[in-house]
Amino acid sequence: MHNLKVITASTRPGRKGPALSSWILEEAKKHAEFKIEHLDLAEINLPFLDEPNHPRMQKYEKDHTKNWSARITEADAFIFVIPEYNFGYPATIKNALDFLYNEWNYKPVAFVSYGGISGGTRSVQALKQVVTAVKMMPVVEAVNVPFFTKHINDQGIFVADEPIQKSAESMIADLLKWTVALKPMRNK
Ligand SMILES: Cc1cc2nc3c(=O)[nH]c(=O)nc-3n(C[C@H](O)[C@H](O)[C@H](O)COP(=O)(O)O)c2cc1C
């Protein structure tokens, strides 16, 4: 069993991220290989990085960092659910990444992105550069949803069409392969 964390990056009041997170959580649950937990950055509520030491030293002073470290340590894989803000990723996910270092190493990350015409692809491409700096492996298969509000119904539920559904299946299959492949690297 692999430990999969789905991270919701957007935190603003009225955000749409949780609709996409709820959907991808249900998709991931179809895979018995994963034990899944949702990490909502709005609930976790990290301040801007406030640790005096470089995260590589793991000399954390703040309880919120120790708690965040524990959650990320137990993970074997991630799905980041990210919007696109001003052609980039939201600051919340960069801040959450910056808090830690070793805890992210040699772990795969897949992306569910959403936006206007870009479908959040610019956000994902920019974030790939950052995740590789903490030695994460960004998986190629992704879910990118353009004009995502079309897929959110009156009850606020995200309803995927067939291409989106298929992209989720490919992404989770790809993520599982990397999850299995990278585990031995962390045990050395
Ligand atoms: C600060 C800000 C910047 C945005 N910039 C973009 C953008 O560059 N590209 C895009 O497709 N949508 C952009 N949008 C629209 C978002 O796709 C849309 O508001 C979406 O709901 C944001 O995700 P969230 O609701 O989970 O915060 C932006 C929204 C905000 C609030």
Side-chain angles (χ1 to χ4, degrees):
M1 194 90 143
H2 311 292
N3 190 313
L4 170 65
K5 308 284 191 200
V6 174
I7 298 186
T8 299
S10 71
T11 58
R12 64 183 187 90
R15 67 206 167 118
K16 299 290 190 283
L20 287 101
S21 298
S22 300
W23 164 73
I24 200 66
L25 278 160
E26 289 310 309
E27 290 305 307
K29 281 179 193 162
K30 293 176 187 167
H31 296 257
E33 300 92 335
F34 286 122
K35 175 177 178 279
I36 303 163
E37 190 190 7
H38 182 206
L39 300 180
D40 183 348
L41 292 188
E43 276 173 31
I44 289 165
N45 201 21
L46 289 166
F48 273 131
L49 180 59
D50 60 352
E51 287 286 344
N53 300 305
H54 193 290
R56 276 180 210 225
M57 296 161 75
Q58 293 183 299
K59 278 189 182 168
Y60 304 130
E61 294 192 352
K62 307 285 165 63
D63 282 344
H64 55 252
T65 315
K66 290 174 191 166
N67 293 337
W68 185 231
S69 168
R71 308 295 278 280
I72 302 308
T73 296
E74 65 189 12
D76 298 310
F78 298 92
I79 297 176
F80 289 178
V81 180
I82 53 167
E84 182 171 295
Y85 288 171
N86 296 318
F87 291 17
Y89 46 77
T92 48
I93 190 71
K94 177 71 161 62
N95 188 53
L97 284 160
D98 291 343
F99 261 96
L100 309 174
Y101 178 73
N102 302 277
E103 295 85 340
W104 302 112
N105 285 185
Y106 306 117
K107 295 180 181 176
V109 54
F111 301 96
V112 172
S113 72
Y114 52 101
I117 197 160
S118 70
T121 48
R122 292 172 292 216
S123 173
V124 172
Q125 287 306 105
L127 193 53
K128 278 183 179 174
Q129 178 243 315
V130 175
V131 298
T132 57
V134 292
K135 298 189 182 177
M136 296 181 92
M137 181 63 212
V139 310
V140 171
E141 301 292 337
V143 178
N144 308 117
V145 187
F147 304 113
F148 70 97
T149 48
K150 283 193 305 186
H151 303 280
I152 297 180
N153 70 17
D154 295 343
Q155 284 79 48
I157 294 165
F158 182 80
V159 183
D161 60 15
E162 203 188 329
I164 295 173
Q165 196 68 33
K166 285 215 164 108
S167 67
E169 284 160 24
S170 305
M171 182 187 81
I172 294 166
D174 210 22
L175 181 63
L176 182 57
K177 281 188 184 180
W178 280 108
T179 305
V180 172
L182 293 182
K183 236 177 193 176
M185 285 184 77
R186 297 199 299 281
N187 294 335
K188 276 178 193 152

